[in-house]
Amino acid sequence: MSGIAFAIQWVRSLLFVGQIYLMMPVIGLVFAPWAMFSRNGARICCKTYSRWVFWTASWMVGIKTEVRGTPPTGETLIASKHQSFLDIMMIFTALPAAKFIMKKEILWTPIIGQYARLLNCVAVDRGKRGAAIEKMVADVASGQQEAGQLIIYSQGTRIKPGVKAPYKVGTGVLYEQLNQPCVPVATNVGVLWPRKGIMRYPGVAIVEFMEPIAPGLRRDVFMAKLEHDVEARSDALMGEAGFDPDGVH
């Protein structure tokens, strides 16, 4: 990308980022009377906002979105690669009843935090992750949480493309205790929509729902398979976007 082309793309990216943050409270407030009394209303609000982002990304910065594989519709655990805000929206929009395990601090984020509460997301205290997982498992078992697709980011945070980070044991604990299939999800979105900064790059952002891992594996076997499958497929998807994961050191 030449200097002039880069400058034009940066300006387009600035306008894009500005308008999506402007539209977040607008759409959130429009749907608020429904969302406050209906979890379905909260879901539709979040999906409406996500689709607005997808649509404007396609013509403002040249990012197309694509979901591959078969998103699950039943009660299941989803363990995903996490690279930027975009993969959150893409996964959520592809599922009928998604809820996230997320950092407790997000609950205090305007609009996002309020809707996370309405969607019954599970807030995890970073310093007390084990206790939070135990409470979540107990809530599911007692029927306090609505059935749906529970999404966990196994590395715990957004990871820059090409950077290696460990998979945290919380995913393995959930897999064991919930005794549900686990659907791995790979992505390349961080190549086009970095976790930090203004610049957005044109291309096809992909999230791919992979073959479920059946319940019953030993925790260490499950974690090794999950990490291998997600990392290998994410590297392949990043390669499709023109990124060489092995070139980052």
Side-chain angles (χ1 to χ4, degrees):
M1 188 180 290
S2 68
I4 293 176
F6 182 91
I8 292 172
Q9 185 69 18
W10 190 90
V11 172
R12 294 173 68 183
S13 298
L14 178 64
L15 294 172
F16 169 72
V17 171
Q19 66 86 20
I20 66 171
Y21 282 108
L22 176 64
M23 289 302 294
M24 184 182 291
V26 171
I27 293 175
L29 291 172
V30 167
F31 279 87
W34 184 15
M36 288 174 62
F37 300 102
S38 166
R39 187 161 295 136
N40 188 50
R43 284 196 193 101
I44 291 174
C45 174
C46 294
K47 291 186 178 186
T48 299
Y49 174 73
S50 296
R51 291 185 178 111
W52 172 267
V53 173
F54 303 155
W55 178 65
T56 54
S58 69
W59 59 269
M60 291 188 75
V61 292
I63 295 178
K64 311 295 183 182
T65 56
E66 179 182 342
V67 175
R68 295 183 182 173
T70 304
T73 57
E75 192 167 11
T76 190
L77 176 66
I78 293 175
S80 178
K81 184 80 172 173
H82 185 24
Q83 293 184 333
S84 78
F85 184 42
L86 182 57
D87 59 64
I88 295 176
M89 292 183 287
M90 291 177 68
I91 293 170
F92 181 83
T93 305
L95 297 169
K99 52 192 174 185
F100 291 87
I101 295 179
M102 62 187 197
K103 298 179 293 186
K104 186 177 180 180
E105 295 87 339
I106 293 176
L107 292 179
W108 303 104
T109 304
I111 307 298
I112 293 176
Q114 286 69 43
Y115 273 86
R117 292 177 192 272
L118 292 169
L119 292 169
N120 212 16
C121 292
V122 180
V124 175
D125 188 329
R126 282 181 168 181
K128 301 178 180 179
R129 184 177 294 268
I133 290 172
E134 289 179 9
K135 182 180 183 304
M136 187 276 302
V137 171
D139 287 348
V140 171
S142 65
Q144 292 178 24
Q145 289 225 40
E146 180 186 19
Q149 299 81 47
L150 182 63
I151 303 159
I152 185 168
Y153 290 115
S154 300
Q155 292 170 298
T157 190
R158 294 170 297 173
I159 303 297
K160 184 178 179 181
V163 173
K164 302 301 180 183
Y167 277 51
K168 298 182 182 296
V169 71
T171 305
V173 173
L174 285 171
Y175 169 78
E176 283 184 337
Q177 297 195 31
L178 294 177
N179 195 33
Q180 296 173 355
C182 176
V183 177
V185 176
T187 189
N188 70 352
V189 301
V191 176
L192 310 175
W193 183 313
R195 66 192 184 108
K196 295 181 180 179
I198 295 296
M199 187 66 170
R200 304 290 184 263
Y201 300 91
V204 181
I206 302 166
V207 295
E208 182 170 334
F209 291 85
M210 303 166 69
E211 287 297 313
I213 301 174
L217 295 179
R218 215 173 56 232
R219 184 189 300 179
D220 60 333
V221 175
F222 163 74
M223 290 297 295
K225 177 174 176 54
L226 175 68
E227 181 171 356
H228 173 271
D229 291 356
V230 171
E231 291 300 303
R233 190 59 192 148
S234 293
D235 285 351
L237 294 177
M238 287 188 283
E240 286 188 33
F243 180 82
D244 179 12
D246 295 326
V248 178
H249 300 286

